[in-house]
Amino acid sequence: FFVGLSFYTTKVELKDVFSPFGVIEEARLVRDNQTGRPKGFGFVKYSSEVEAQKAVKAMDGREVVLKLILFSLN
């Protein structure tokens, strides 16, 4: 789970940013039901916990598409 993405981030951009850390099984941007616009947060699922931890360590607090992103592992 991560927050703080630009509302203009696409699913392709999301995968491009997070794929260097491992095999992505699923990438999902949460969207507003009425507007269809991304809400600025989403989920990336990796094939292993080790890959997910690498992504968190490398990306937590970094700017992506001019926005700061923060992570939560649950």
Side-chain angles (χ1 to χ4, degrees):
F1 173 77
F2 53 87
V3 298
L5 283 179
S6 166
F7 296 118
Y8 303 104
T9 302
T10 67
K11 190 172 180 178
V12 171
E13 291 171 327
L14 185 65
K15 284 185 173 185
D16 286 347
V17 167
F18 289 99
S19 64
F21 307 105
V23 176
I24 295 175
E25 291 185 354
E26 180 183 9
R28 186 166 53 101
L29 293 170
V30 177
R31 297 184 175 276
D32 182 277
N33 289 334
Q34 293 187 2
T35 66
R37 189 173 102 169
K39 290 185 170 186
F41 66 95
F43 302 87
V44 175
K45 181 179 179 183
Y46 285 94
S47 61
S48 76
E49 181 71 24
V50 171
E51 292 171 337
Q53 291 292 339
K54 281 188 344 188
V56 169
K57 185 176 180 180
M59 297 299 292
D60 192 27
R62 290 200 45 206
E63 287 186 7
V64 176
V65 192
L66 302 178
K67 291 279 283 185
L68 180 70
I69 61 173
L70 302 171
F71 282 87
S72 174
L73 290 177
N74 291 326

